[in-house]
Structure formats: C-alpha cells, structure tokens
Amino acid sequence: MNSTMSGAAGPGANLSALRSHNAALVLRLLRDAGEDGVSRLELAGRTGLTPQAVSKITARLRAEGLAAEAGQRASTGGKPPTALRLVPGARHAIGLHLDRDELTAVLVDLAGTPVAARTAPFDFGAAADEAMAAATAEVRALLADAGAGGTESEGAAGGGAGGAGEAGGAADGVTGGPAGGVTGGPAGGVTGGPAGGVTGGAAHAGTAGAGGGGTGGAGTAGTGRATGGAAAAAGGTGGRAGGGAGDPDSAGTTGTTGTTGTAGPAGGGGLLGVGVAAPGPLDHGSGVLHRVTGFPQWDGFPLRDALAERLALPVVLDKDTNAAALGLATAGTTESAAYLHLGTGLGAGLVLGGDVYRGARTDAGEFGHQVIQLDGPPCGCGNHGCLEALCLAAVARGDRKDAARLLGIGAANLVRLLDIDRVLLGGRVVLADPEPYVRGVAALIAEDSARASRPTVPVDVVERGGRAVVEGAARLVLAPLFALG
C-alpha cells in the first residue's frame, strides 16, 4: 500500500472530490488505529491536513456514528488530547462469491470482520433470471441470519443530520472518493466513479448516496430515499435521506425524512452495498460479464445492474481473483504479489505497487489462458493447450504432483514477467491439500530463479483461506470509503 497519505491537491482539483478523499484518509487512519484510536493532532500530522480541517471531518464522522471517543492520551502540557476510533458496526457490507457451482455470501462490518456467512449450491449454467433469483434469495437469507429485523424511523444507513458544518451525505466526503466515489445517478441510483464503482437499483428514486446521504447542491437538502439498513433486501422501505451536501464550511440542511426504514444487522448500522466476485472475463467498470469460460451464454449480461435492481442496493462487480487481491492490498500486507486461484477454474489476481492491477479492460490476470502446449487439449475459451485446461485435467485424474508442476510453470512465467515479490495460492483445489501445491510451485520458481541468478520468491497459502474471495468481495464496497482499491 502506498505509504504516503496526503490531502494536498494540484490546481483545479475538484473540491467535493477532495473533501471526499480527505475524509476517507481520516477514516482509514481511524480503522488502522484499532480500539486504541488516534488523536486529532496525530490525524493532522499523518494526513497533512490542517487541524481545523481534521476537526470538521471528525465532527461529521462522529455525527454519522462512524467515529467515537477512545479515551484520552497522556498530557504533554495542557488539556489531554482525546483519541478517536472507528465504530466498526456503524455500517456493513455484503460480499457475494458466485462460483460455477457454489455461492458464498458474507456480511462484514467496517473493519472487514465477518458477522454472518452462508454457502449454498449455485448453478452458473442456469438461466440468468434463475441465477439472479438464487443470489438474491441468499442475500436476504444472510440478512435474516444476521438478525436484520428491527426498525428505525430514520434509517441507519442514512447520513447524519447536518448541523453547522456537519452536513451528512456523500458530498461530505464520507462515502465516496474519486476512484470509486458514490454519487447520485441520473435515475436515482448510486453510481460509482471512473474506476468502476457502485451502481444502485432504480427502485430508489432521488439522489441518495451509498450510505444514504443526500447529494443536493450547496446548502440544499438532499432528496430521495436512503436504503434504511437492510430495508431493500428485506422488502422494507427507505428511511432518512441523510444530511444535505452543502459546503462543509457552512451549515448544511437536512434531507427529508422518508417512511420507516429497516435497521441494519441486529439493529446496527446500515448496508453500504454488495460486492460481487464472479469468474472472468468481465468488465469491472461497466459491471458486465463477458464469455465466462464454459458459460458463453453470459456474454454481455449486465450482472451488476441486474442484481442491484433486485436488491435495491449498490452493487460492485469484479473478478473473483481481483477480489482476493483487493483483500491483500487493503490489508497492506504486500506491495507486489500474485494470488493464484485453482478451483473450478484457474486465474490470478495481481497486486502491483500496493494496488490491485486490473488492466484497462479488467483482462489482467487471465492467468489460466496462457498457452503452454501448442498441440494441447482444447480449452473452454476456444484455444488449445491453455494452462487451465491442462491443470484441471491433472486434478481430474488425481495427479496432484503434475497439477502442482503445471501451476508452478505458470507461476514462474508470471514471476519472471512482473518481478513480483510473493506468490499466494488459494481456491478449493489447493486448500483441500495445500502442501503439494506450495512445495511444487515453490520448487519450479526456485529453479527458474536460479537459472536467472536472482533471489527466489516465497510461496504461501493465502491468509484468509476459503474466505479470501468472498471477504475480498465485501471490500469492493468498503475500499472507496477508506481511499483504497
């Protein structure tokens, strides 16, 4: 992860985007500080923001329930500084992993900690309506498992009421950022920024942000209805629209109050949205599937928008391997790595320079479709001799040694091509018996490194194991809140 955090911007910077970015930087530091918290003075020092700007941002975060006091620091003379911490349960996100034969759903809090999870059979070969209905039903069941039942007259997902200089909502910089910020779409949906972001269902008219905050103009009231906690998925109606999006230096006006919304999980914070991880190829920016290997009927299907309409929640779509890579990047555990996923297919998620690398068309990481045998067996992608076809054939005949050797050949090619620092293995095939895969891949990379007279690269099993993809999917929603991803 990039180590420098700065609130500075060049000439002509968009002030609304800058405020969003600055608030996201503060939220990230609050998250990273854990229960001990961090003082406003420390926040100013680490972000490069003025103490006055930090005070305004933290006041808004506290008003919206995202931050709370964490005790006082020791005094160095004068009044002891008060530490602030993130309130993890203030908001939640859902991660959804759509595999070719199985669906996994998880509900996480702002810290990424799982609250509830479900796994069910899933048929990627079913008709689109049937598949979307199954996914929608599992999301609703997940929320029921988490106890999403209480009601709040002002909708937990809404932005806080805006007092002087404390207007709630997306334009206050709480729920968006330039790389995936959340703003009101033309039809009242929630539309992500240039990096591909978040689209809400058309059922929620108005200009509500992902957290429910209104996005009205300077000093005006935000309009529309927010998603009051789990209301959209549970069939309830929206709650408060959140504070107005006026200039934070002046008094913001409060959005109107809608009908009773449904509270978030167990009566806690509201839902920010759903992150969906699916097999590629797909387009992260448009939320559209391409010719998924073995399932060409999905080509051109707008999965993101279809699911958002059913759930009336913001949705982000990405490849399963990218979701896992995002989990690595947002955890700050590596600057340069490849996540290799061997399950019902074979793909890679890349972390380069501390960020997920998707490529211009989300086509980076189609690792399984490098041709390594020109006269090899046919692959579902249309080529012959693809690494995925060869590796899955070895798995099918129970030859783990050969499957690991083939995976190692591909991994060595990737290490040589990108000069990455670390290789992480995951997917149900690897996780069922990790040792031969870790040993086999490490041996092939070491042999190749020795021939090139360079240090070898460590090979490990991904930290989150079988949850790496689905929890990474939830982070697709959380990451922009912390200026990540």
Short mmCIF file of all heavy atoms in Angstrom, two decimals, residues 63-136:
data_model
loop_
_atom_site.label_atom_id
_atom_site.label_comp_id
_atom_site.label_asym_id
_atom_site.label_seq_id
_atom_site.Cartn_x
_atom_site.Cartn_y
_atom_site.Cartn_z
N ALA A 63 -20.92 12.61 14.05
CA ALA A 63 -22.36 12.86 13.90
C ALA A 63 -23.04 11.71 13.15
O ALA A 63 -24.21 11.40 13.41
CB ALA A 63 -22.59 14.18 13.17
N GLU A 64 -22.32 11.09 12.25
CA GLU A 64 -22.88 9.99 11.47
C GLU A 64 -22.67 8.64 12.13
O GLU A 64 -23.00 7.60 11.56
CB GLU A 64 -22.30 10.01 10.07
CG GLU A 64 -22.77 11.23 9.29
CD GLU A 64 -21.98 11.47 8.02
OE1 GLU A 64 -21.22 10.58 7.63
OE2 GLU A 64 -22.12 12.56 7.44
N GLY A 65 -22.08 8.63 13.32
CA GLY A 65 -21.88 7.39 14.05
C GLY A 65 -20.71 6.56 13.59
O GLY A 65 -20.52 5.43 14.04
N LEU A 66 -19.88 7.10 12.70
CA LEU A 66 -18.74 6.35 12.17
C LEU A 66 -17.51 6.41 13.08
O LEU A 66 -16.62 5.57 12.97
CB LEU A 66 -18.36 6.89 10.78
CG LEU A 66 -19.41 6.69 9.69
CD1 LEU A 66 -19.05 7.49 8.45
CD2 LEU A 66 -19.55 5.22 9.35
N ALA A 67 -17.45 7.39 13.95
CA ALA A 67 -16.30 7.55 14.86
C ALA A 67 -16.82 7.83 16.26
O ALA A 67 -17.91 8.37 16.45
CB ALA A 67 -15.40 8.69 14.39
N ALA A 68 -16.02 7.44 17.25
CA ALA A 68 -16.37 7.66 18.66
C ALA A 68 -15.10 7.89 19.45
O ALA A 68 -13.98 7.59 18.99
CB ALA A 68 -17.13 6.46 19.21
N GLU A 69 -15.24 8.43 20.65
CA GLU A 69 -14.08 8.66 21.51
C GLU A 69 -13.51 7.34 22.00
O GLU A 69 -14.24 6.39 22.25
CB GLU A 69 -14.46 9.54 22.69
CG GLU A 69 -14.80 10.97 22.31
CD GLU A 69 -15.00 11.87 23.52
OE1 GLU A 69 -14.90 11.36 24.66
OE2 GLU A 69 -15.25 13.08 23.32
N ALA A 70 -12.18 7.31 22.11
CA ALA A 70 -11.49 6.11 22.57
C ALA A 70 -10.64 6.39 23.80
O ALA A 70 -9.65 5.71 24.05
CB ALA A 70 -10.62 5.55 21.45
N GLY A 71 -11.00 7.41 24.57
CA GLY A 71 -10.23 7.76 25.76
C GLY A 71 -9.28 8.91 25.50
O GLY A 71 -9.23 9.47 24.40
N GLN A 72 -8.53 9.25 26.51
CA GLN A 72 -7.61 10.39 26.42
C GLN A 72 -6.16 9.94 26.43
O GLN A 72 -5.79 8.97 27.10
CB GLN A 72 -7.86 11.37 27.57
CG GLN A 72 -9.20 12.11 27.46
CD GLN A 72 -9.36 13.16 28.53
OE1 GLN A 72 -8.93 12.97 29.67
NE2 GLN A 72 -9.97 14.28 28.17
N ARG A 73 -5.36 10.65 25.66
CA ARG A 73 -3.92 10.43 25.65
C ARG A 73 -3.30 11.09 26.88
O ARG A 73 -3.89 11.98 27.50
CB ARG A 73 -3.30 11.03 24.38
CG ARG A 73 -3.73 10.34 23.10
CD ARG A 73 -2.84 9.12 22.87
NE ARG A 73 -2.96 8.67 21.50
CZ ARG A 73 -3.70 7.64 21.11
NH1 ARG A 73 -4.43 7.00 22.00
NH2 ARG A 73 -3.73 7.28 19.85
N ALA A 74 -2.10 10.68 27.21
CA ALA A 74 -1.37 11.33 28.30
C ALA A 74 -1.06 12.78 27.93
O ALA A 74 -0.72 13.08 26.78
CB ALA A 74 -0.08 10.57 28.58
N SER A 75 -1.21 13.66 28.87
CA SER A 75 -0.99 15.08 28.62
C SER A 75 0.50 15.39 28.54
O SER A 75 1.31 14.86 29.30
CB SER A 75 -1.63 15.92 29.74
OG SER A 75 -1.32 17.28 29.56
N THR A 76 0.85 16.22 27.57
CA THR A 76 2.23 16.72 27.47
C THR A 76 2.27 18.19 27.86
O THR A 76 3.19 18.91 27.49
CB THR A 76 2.76 16.54 26.03
OG1 THR A 76 1.87 17.21 25.12
CG2 THR A 76 2.86 15.07 25.67
N GLY A 77 1.26 18.60 28.60
CA GLY A 77 1.11 20.00 28.97
C GLY A 77 -0.20 20.53 28.42
O GLY A 77 -0.43 20.47 27.22
N GLY A 78 -1.07 20.97 29.30
CA GLY A 78 -2.37 21.43 28.86
C GLY A 78 -3.39 20.31 28.89
O GLY A 78 -3.19 19.27 29.52
N LYS A 79 -4.49 20.51 28.19
CA LYS A 79 -5.59 19.55 28.19
C LYS A 79 -5.17 18.27 27.47
O LYS A 79 -4.65 18.32 26.36
CB LYS A 79 -6.80 20.16 27.49
CG LYS A 79 -8.02 19.26 27.48
CD LYS A 79 -9.18 19.94 26.76
CE LYS A 79 -10.39 19.01 26.70
NZ LYS A 79 -11.53 19.64 25.97
N PRO A 80 -5.40 17.10 28.09
CA PRO A 80 -5.04 15.84 27.42
C PRO A 80 -5.82 15.66 26.13
O PRO A 80 -7.04 15.89 26.10
CB PRO A 80 -5.43 14.77 28.45
CG PRO A 80 -5.54 15.48 29.74
CD PRO A 80 -5.98 16.88 29.42
N PRO A 81 -5.16 15.28 25.03
CA PRO A 81 -5.88 15.08 23.77
C PRO A 81 -6.80 13.85 23.83
O PRO A 81 -6.47 12.85 24.47
CB PRO A 81 -4.76 14.87 22.74
CG PRO A 81 -3.60 14.38 23.55
CD PRO A 81 -3.72 15.01 24.90
N THR A 82 -7.93 13.94 23.16
CA THR A 82 -8.88 12.83 23.10
C THR A 82 -8.63 12.00 21.84
O THR A 82 -8.50 12.54 20.75
CB THR A 82 -10.32 13.36 23.08
OG1 THR A 82 -10.56 14.10 24.28
CG2 THR A 82 -11.32 12.21 22.99
N ALA A 83 -8.54 10.70 22.03
CA ALA A 83 -8.35 9.79 20.89
C ALA A 83 -9.71 9.42 20.32
O ALA A 83 -10.71 9.32 21.03
CB ALA A 83 -7.60 8.54 21.32
N LEU A 84 -9.74 9.21 19.00
CA LEU A 84 -10.95 8.78 18.31
C LEU A 84 -10.70 7.43 17.65
O LEU A 84 -9.57 7.12 17.27
CB LEU A 84 -11.35 9.80 17.24
CG LEU A 84 -11.70 11.21 17.73
CD1 LEU A 84 -11.90 12.14 16.54
CD2 LEU A 84 -12.95 11.18 18.60
N ARG A 85 -11.76 6.67 17.51
CA ARG A 85 -11.65 5.35 16.87
C ARG A 85 -12.81 5.16 15.90
O ARG A 85 -13.84 5.83 15.99
CB ARG A 85 -11.68 4.24 17.92
CG ARG A 85 -12.99 4.19 18.70
CD ARG A 85 -13.06 3.00 19.65
NE ARG A 85 -14.30 2.99 20.40
CZ ARG A 85 -15.45 2.48 19.96
NH1 ARG A 85 -15.49 1.94 18.74
NH2 ARG A 85 -16.54 2.51 20.70
N LEU A 86 -12.62 4.22 14.98
CA LEU A 86 -13.70 3.83 14.08
C LEU A 86 -14.74 3.02 14.86
O LEU A 86 -14.39 2.27 15.78
CB LEU A 86 -13.13 2.98 12.94
CG LEU A 86 -14.12 2.49 11.88
CD1 LEU A 86 -14.57 3.64 10.99
CD2 LEU A 86 -13.47 1.39 11.02
N VAL A 87 -16.00 3.18 14.51
CA VAL A 87 -17.08 2.34 15.06
C VAL A 87 -17.40 1.28 14.00
O VAL A 87 -18.15 1.54 13.06
CB VAL A 87 -18.33 3.17 15.39
CG1 VAL A 87 -19.42 2.28 15.96
CG2 VAL A 87 -17.99 4.29 16.37
N PRO A 88 -16.83 0.08 14.11
CA PRO A 88 -16.97 -0.91 13.04
C PRO A 88 -18.42 -1.25 12.70
O PRO A 88 -18.77 -1.46 11.55
CB PRO A 88 -16.23 -2.14 13.59
CG PRO A 88 -15.23 -1.57 14.55
CD PRO A 88 -15.93 -0.41 15.19
N GLY A 89 -19.28 -1.31 13.72
CA GLY A 89 -20.66 -1.71 13.48
C GLY A 89 -21.54 -0.61 12.94
O GLY A 89 -22.75 -0.82 12.75
N ALA A 90 -20.97 0.57 12.65
CA ALA A 90 -21.78 1.68 12.15
C ALA A 90 -22.33 1.42 10.75
O ALA A 90 -23.38 1.95 10.39
CB ALA A 90 -20.96 2.97 12.14
N ARG A 91 -21.64 0.66 9.96
CA ARG A 91 -22.09 0.30 8.62
C ARG A 91 -21.63 -1.14 8.33
O ARG A 91 -20.70 -1.65 8.95
CB ARG A 91 -21.50 1.23 7.54
CG ARG A 91 -21.82 2.70 7.71
CD ARG A 91 -23.26 3.04 7.40
NE ARG A 91 -23.47 4.48 7.38
CZ ARG A 91 -23.71 5.22 8.45
NH1 ARG A 91 -23.74 4.68 9.65
NH2 ARG A 91 -23.92 6.53 8.33
N HIS A 92 -22.27 -1.75 7.36
CA HIS A 92 -21.93 -3.11 6.95
C HIS A 92 -21.90 -3.21 5.43
O HIS A 92 -22.45 -2.36 4.73
CB HIS A 92 -22.92 -4.12 7.52
CG HIS A 92 -22.87 -4.26 9.00
ND1 HIS A 92 -23.50 -3.39 9.86
CD2 HIS A 92 -22.23 -5.17 9.79
CE1 HIS A 92 -23.27 -3.75 11.11
NE2 HIS A 92 -22.51 -4.83 11.09
N ALA A 93 -21.25 -4.25 4.95
CA ALA A 93 -21.21 -4.54 3.52
C ALA A 93 -21.36 -6.04 3.33
O ALA A 93 -21.02 -6.84 4.21
CB ALA A 93 -19.90 -4.06 2.89
N ILE A 94 -21.87 -6.41 2.15
CA ILE A 94 -22.06 -7.83 1.82
C ILE A 94 -21.07 -8.21 0.73
O ILE A 94 -20.87 -7.48 -0.23
CB ILE A 94 -23.49 -8.09 1.34
CG1 ILE A 94 -24.48 -7.90 2.50
CG2 ILE A 94 -23.64 -9.50 0.77
CD1 ILE A 94 -25.93 -7.95 2.08
N GLY A 95 -20.45 -9.37 0.91
CA GLY A 95 -19.62 -9.97 -0.13
C GLY A 95 -20.33 -11.19 -0.68
O GLY A 95 -20.89 -11.99 0.08
N LEU A 96 -20.32 -11.33 -2.00
CA LEU A 96 -21.01 -12.43 -2.67
C LEU A 96 -20.05 -13.06 -3.67
O LEU A 96 -19.59 -12.39 -4.60
CB LEU A 96 -22.25 -11.89 -3.38
CG LEU A 96 -23.32 -12.86 -3.87
CD1 LEU A 96 -23.89 -13.68 -2.72
CD2 LEU A 96 -24.43 -12.07 -4.56
N HIS A 97 -19.73 -14.34 -3.48
CA HIS A 97 -18.86 -15.05 -4.41
C HIS A 97 -19.71 -16.02 -5.22
O HIS A 97 -20.25 -16.99 -4.68
CB HIS A 97 -17.76 -15.81 -3.65
CG HIS A 97 -16.84 -16.59 -4.54
ND1 HIS A 97 -16.00 -17.58 -4.06
CD2 HIS A 97 -16.60 -16.53 -5.88
CE1 HIS A 97 -15.31 -18.09 -5.08
NE2 HIS A 97 -15.66 -17.46 -6.18
N LEU A 98 -19.85 -15.74 -6.51
CA LEU A 98 -20.58 -16.60 -7.42
C LEU A 98 -19.60 -17.51 -8.14
O LEU A 98 -18.96 -17.10 -9.11
CB LEU A 98 -21.38 -15.77 -8.43
CG LEU A 98 -22.36 -14.75 -7.86
CD1 LEU A 98 -23.07 -14.01 -9.00
CD2 LEU A 98 -23.38 -15.40 -6.94
N ASP A 99 -19.46 -18.73 -7.66
CA ASP A 99 -18.60 -19.70 -8.34
C ASP A 99 -19.46 -20.48 -9.32
O ASP A 99 -20.68 -20.32 -9.38
CB ASP A 99 -17.94 -20.62 -7.31
CG ASP A 99 -16.61 -21.17 -7.79
OD1 ASP A 99 -16.34 -21.11 -9.01
OD2 ASP A 99 -15.84 -21.67 -6.95
N ARG A 100 -18.83 -21.34 -10.10
CA ARG A 100 -19.57 -22.06 -11.13
C ARG A 100 -20.59 -23.03 -10.56
O ARG A 100 -21.58 -23.36 -11.20
CB ARG A 100 -18.59 -22.78 -12.05
CG ARG A 100 -17.76 -21.82 -12.92
CD ARG A 100 -16.65 -22.56 -13.64
NE ARG A 100 -15.95 -21.71 -14.59
CZ ARG A 100 -14.94 -20.90 -14.27
NH1 ARG A 100 -14.55 -20.81 -12.99
NH2 ARG A 100 -14.35 -20.17 -15.19
N ASP A 101 -20.37 -23.52 -9.33
CA ASP A 101 -21.29 -24.49 -8.75
C ASP A 101 -21.66 -24.19 -7.30
O ASP A 101 -22.32 -25.00 -6.65
CB ASP A 101 -20.67 -25.90 -8.82
CG ASP A 101 -19.35 -25.98 -8.06
OD1 ASP A 101 -18.88 -24.96 -7.52
OD2 ASP A 101 -18.77 -27.09 -8.00
N GLU A 102 -21.24 -23.04 -6.80
CA GLU A 102 -21.45 -22.74 -5.39
C GLU A 102 -21.51 -21.23 -5.18
O GLU A 102 -20.83 -20.47 -5.86
CB GLU A 102 -20.31 -23.35 -4.56
CG GLU A 102 -20.44 -23.20 -3.08
CD GLU A 102 -19.28 -23.87 -2.35
OE1 GLU A 102 -18.19 -23.25 -2.26
OE2 GLU A 102 -19.45 -25.02 -1.88
N LEU A 103 -22.34 -20.83 -4.24
CA LEU A 103 -22.46 -19.41 -3.87
C LEU A 103 -22.09 -19.25 -2.41
O LEU A 103 -22.55 -20.02 -1.56
CB LEU A 103 -23.90 -18.94 -4.12
CG LEU A 103 -24.30 -17.51 -3.75
CD1 LEU A 103 -25.50 -17.08 -4.60
CD2 LEU A 103 -24.67 -17.38 -2.27
N THR A 104 -21.27 -18.26 -2.11
CA THR A 104 -20.93 -17.93 -0.73
C THR A 104 -21.23 -16.47 -0.49
O THR A 104 -20.90 -15.62 -1.32
CB THR A 104 -19.44 -18.21 -0.42
OG1 THR A 104 -19.13 -19.56 -0.77
CG2 THR A 104 -19.14 -17.99 1.06
N ALA A 105 -21.88 -16.17 0.63
CA ALA A 105 -22.21 -14.79 0.99
C ALA A 105 -21.72 -14.51 2.39
O ALA A 105 -21.78 -15.37 3.27
CB ALA A 105 -23.72 -14.56 0.91
N VAL A 106 -21.21 -13.30 2.61
CA VAL A 106 -20.73 -12.91 3.92
C VAL A 106 -21.13 -11.48 4.21
O VAL A 106 -21.16 -10.63 3.30
CB VAL A 106 -19.19 -13.08 4.03
CG1 VAL A 106 -18.47 -12.13 3.09
CG2 VAL A 106 -18.70 -12.87 5.46
N LEU A 107 -21.48 -11.20 5.45
CA LEU A 107 -21.77 -9.85 5.92
C LEU A 107 -20.62 -9.42 6.80
O LEU A 107 -20.23 -10.14 7.73
CB LEU A 107 -23.07 -9.83 6.71
CG LEU A 107 -23.54 -8.47 7.24
CD1 LEU A 107 -24.08 -7.61 6.10
CD2 LEU A 107 -24.60 -8.65 8.32
N VAL A 108 -20.01 -8.26 6.50
CA VAL A 108 -18.87 -7.78 7.29
C VAL A 108 -19.15 -6.37 7.80
O VAL A 108 -19.98 -5.64 7.25
CB VAL A 108 -17.56 -7.77 6.46
CG1 VAL A 108 -17.27 -9.15 5.89
CG2 VAL A 108 -17.60 -6.72 5.36
N ASP A 109 -18.44 -5.99 8.88
CA ASP A 109 -18.55 -4.63 9.37
C ASP A 109 -17.48 -3.76 8.71
O ASP A 109 -16.78 -4.20 7.79
CB ASP A 109 -18.45 -4.59 10.90
CG ASP A 109 -17.11 -5.08 11.45
OD1 ASP A 109 -16.11 -5.11 10.68
OD2 ASP A 109 -17.05 -5.42 12.64
N LEU A 110 -17.36 -2.51 9.15
CA LEU A 110 -16.43 -1.58 8.51
C LEU A 110 -14.97 -2.02 8.62
O LEU A 110 -14.15 -1.64 7.79
CB LEU A 110 -16.59 -0.19 9.12
CG LEU A 110 -17.82 0.60 8.72
CD1 LEU A 110 -17.88 1.93 9.47
CD2 LEU A 110 -17.85 0.85 7.21
N ALA A 111 -14.66 -2.80 9.63
CA ALA A 111 -13.29 -3.30 9.79
C ALA A 111 -13.04 -4.54 8.95
O ALA A 111 -11.93 -5.07 8.94
CB ALA A 111 -13.00 -3.60 11.26
N GLY A 112 -14.08 -5.01 8.23
CA GLY A 112 -13.94 -6.21 7.43
C GLY A 112 -14.14 -7.49 8.20
O GLY A 112 -13.92 -8.59 7.68
N THR A 113 -14.59 -7.39 9.45
CA THR A 113 -14.80 -8.57 10.29
C THR A 113 -16.12 -9.23 9.94
O THR A 113 -17.17 -8.57 9.93
CB THR A 113 -14.81 -8.18 11.77
OG1 THR A 113 -13.59 -7.51 12.09
CG2 THR A 113 -14.97 -9.40 12.66
N PRO A 114 -16.13 -10.53 9.64
CA PRO A 114 -17.38 -11.21 9.28
C PRO A 114 -18.37 -11.22 10.44
O PRO A 114 -18.01 -11.46 11.59
CB PRO A 114 -16.93 -12.63 8.93
CG PRO A 114 -15.47 -12.51 8.59
CD PRO A 114 -14.96 -11.42 9.48
N VAL A 115 -19.63 -10.98 10.12
CA VAL A 115 -20.72 -11.00 11.08
C VAL A 115 -21.59 -12.24 10.86
O VAL A 115 -22.08 -12.84 11.80
CB VAL A 115 -21.57 -9.72 10.96
CG1 VAL A 115 -22.79 -9.77 11.86
CG2 VAL A 115 -20.73 -8.49 11.28
N ALA A 116 -21.78 -12.60 9.60
CA ALA A 116 -22.57 -13.78 9.25
C ALA A 116 -22.11 -14.27 7.89
O ALA A 116 -21.57 -13.50 7.09
CB ALA A 116 -24.07 -13.45 9.22
N ALA A 117 -22.33 -15.56 7.62
CA ALA A 117 -21.92 -16.13 6.33
C ALA A 117 -22.83 -17.29 5.97
O ALA A 117 -23.40 -17.95 6.84
CB ALA A 117 -20.47 -16.60 6.38
N ARG A 118 -22.98 -17.52 4.66
CA ARG A 118 -23.78 -18.62 4.14
C ARG A 118 -23.10 -19.21 2.91
O ARG A 118 -22.45 -18.48 2.15
CB ARG A 118 -25.18 -18.15 3.73
CG ARG A 118 -26.10 -17.75 4.84
CD ARG A 118 -27.43 -17.29 4.29
NE ARG A 118 -28.13 -18.33 3.55
CZ ARG A 118 -28.94 -19.23 4.11
NH1 ARG A 118 -29.14 -19.20 5.41
NH2 ARG A 118 -29.55 -20.13 3.37
N THR A 119 -23.29 -20.51 2.70
CA THR A 119 -22.85 -21.17 1.47
C THR A 119 -23.98 -22.04 0.96
O THR A 119 -24.67 -22.70 1.76
CB THR A 119 -21.60 -22.03 1.73
OG1 THR A 119 -20.53 -21.19 2.18
CG2 THR A 119 -21.15 -22.73 0.46
N ALA A 120 -24.21 -22.01 -0.34
CA ALA A 120 -25.29 -22.79 -0.93
C ALA A 120 -24.90 -23.23 -2.33
O ALA A 120 -24.05 -22.61 -2.97
CB ALA A 120 -26.58 -21.94 -0.98
N PRO A 121 -25.52 -24.28 -2.84
CA PRO A 121 -25.28 -24.67 -4.24
C PRO A 121 -25.71 -23.55 -5.19
O PRO A 121 -26.65 -22.81 -4.90
CB PRO A 121 -26.15 -25.92 -4.42
CG PRO A 121 -26.40 -26.43 -3.03
CD PRO A 121 -26.44 -25.22 -2.16
N PHE A 122 -25.02 -23.45 -6.31
CA PHE A 122 -25.33 -22.41 -7.29
C PHE A 122 -25.01 -22.96 -8.67
O PHE A 122 -23.97 -23.58 -8.87
CB PHE A 122 -24.50 -21.16 -7.01
CG PHE A 122 -24.80 -20.00 -7.93
CD1 PHE A 122 -25.97 -19.26 -7.80
CD2 PHE A 122 -23.90 -19.65 -8.94
CE1 PHE A 122 -26.24 -18.19 -8.65
CE2 PHE A 122 -24.16 -18.58 -9.78
CZ PHE A 122 -25.34 -17.85 -9.63
N ASP A 123 -25.90 -22.73 -9.62
CA ASP A 123 -25.71 -23.22 -10.98
C ASP A 123 -25.43 -22.05 -11.91
O ASP A 123 -26.34 -21.32 -12.31
CB ASP A 123 -26.96 -23.98 -11.43
CG ASP A 123 -26.81 -24.58 -12.83
OD1 ASP A 123 -25.69 -24.51 -13.39
OD2 ASP A 123 -27.81 -25.13 -13.34
N PHE A 124 -24.16 -21.87 -12.26
CA PHE A 124 -23.79 -20.79 -13.16
C PHE A 124 -24.30 -21.04 -14.58
O PHE A 124 -24.33 -20.12 -15.40
CB PHE A 124 -22.27 -20.60 -13.17
CG PHE A 124 -21.82 -19.18 -13.34
CD1 PHE A 124 -21.64 -18.35 -12.25
CD2 PHE A 124 -21.58 -18.67 -14.61
CE1 PHE A 124 -21.24 -17.04 -12.41
CE2 PHE A 124 -21.17 -17.35 -14.78
CZ PHE A 124 -21.01 -16.54 -13.68
N GLY A 125 -24.69 -22.27 -14.83
CA GLY A 125 -25.22 -22.59 -16.15
C GLY A 125 -26.71 -22.38 -16.27
O GLY A 125 -27.29 -22.58 -17.34
N ALA A 126 -27.37 -21.97 -15.17
CA ALA A 126 -28.81 -21.73 -15.20
C ALA A 126 -29.12 -20.47 -16.00
O ALA A 126 -28.24 -19.66 -16.30
CB ALA A 126 -29.34 -21.60 -13.78
N ALA A 127 -30.39 -20.27 -16.31
CA ALA A 127 -30.82 -19.04 -16.97
C ALA A 127 -30.53 -17.86 -16.07
O ALA A 127 -30.52 -17.98 -14.84
CB ALA A 127 -32.31 -19.12 -17.28
N ALA A 128 -30.31 -16.69 -16.68
CA ALA A 128 -29.89 -15.51 -15.92
C ALA A 128 -30.89 -15.17 -14.83
O ALA A 128 -30.50 -14.89 -13.67
CB ALA A 128 -29.71 -14.33 -16.87
N ASP A 129 -32.19 -15.17 -15.14
CA ASP A 129 -33.21 -14.83 -14.14
C ASP A 129 -33.17 -15.79 -12.97
O ASP A 129 -33.30 -15.38 -11.81
CB ASP A 129 -34.60 -14.83 -14.78
CG ASP A 129 -34.87 -13.58 -15.60
OD1 ASP A 129 -34.05 -12.63 -15.52
OD2 ASP A 129 -35.89 -13.55 -16.32
N GLU A 130 -32.99 -17.06 -13.26
CA GLU A 130 -32.95 -18.07 -12.20
C GLU A 130 -31.71 -17.88 -11.33
O GLU A 130 -31.78 -17.96 -10.09
CB GLU A 130 -32.94 -19.46 -12.83
CG GLU A 130 -32.96 -20.60 -11.82
CD GLU A 130 -32.94 -21.97 -12.48
OE1 GLU A 130 -33.30 -22.04 -13.68
OE2 GLU A 130 -32.54 -22.95 -11.82
N ALA A 131 -30.58 -17.61 -11.94
CA ALA A 131 -29.34 -17.40 -11.18
C ALA A 131 -29.43 -16.15 -10.31
O ALA A 131 -29.01 -16.15 -9.15
CB ALA A 131 -28.16 -17.30 -12.14
N MET A 132 -29.98 -15.06 -10.87
CA MET A 132 -30.11 -13.82 -10.10
C MET A 132 -31.11 -13.98 -8.95
O MET A 132 -30.92 -13.43 -7.87
CB MET A 132 -30.54 -12.67 -11.01
CG MET A 132 -29.49 -12.25 -12.03
SD MET A 132 -27.94 -11.65 -11.29
CE MET A 132 -26.94 -13.16 -11.31
N ALA A 133 -32.16 -14.76 -9.19
CA ALA A 133 -33.13 -15.01 -8.11
C ALA A 133 -32.49 -15.79 -6.97
O ALA A 133 -32.73 -15.51 -5.79
CB ALA A 133 -34.34 -15.77 -8.67
N ALA A 134 -31.65 -16.77 -7.33
CA ALA A 134 -30.97 -17.56 -6.30
C ALA A 134 -30.01 -16.69 -5.49
O ALA A 134 -29.94 -16.79 -4.25
CB ALA A 134 -30.21 -18.72 -6.95
N ALA A 135 -29.26 -15.82 -6.18
CA ALA A 135 -28.33 -14.94 -5.49
C ALA A 135 -29.08 -13.98 -4.57
O ALA A 135 -28.67 -13.74 -3.43
CB ALA A 135 -27.49 -14.16 -6.50
N THR A 136 -30.19 -13.43 -5.05
CA THR A 136 -30.99 -12.50 -4.25
C THR A 136 -31.54 -13.20 -3.01
O THR A 136 -31.52 -12.64 -1.91
CB THR A 136 -32.17 -11.95 -5.10
OG1 THR A 136 -31.64 -11.28 -6.24
CG2 THR A 136 -33.01 -10.98 -4.29
#
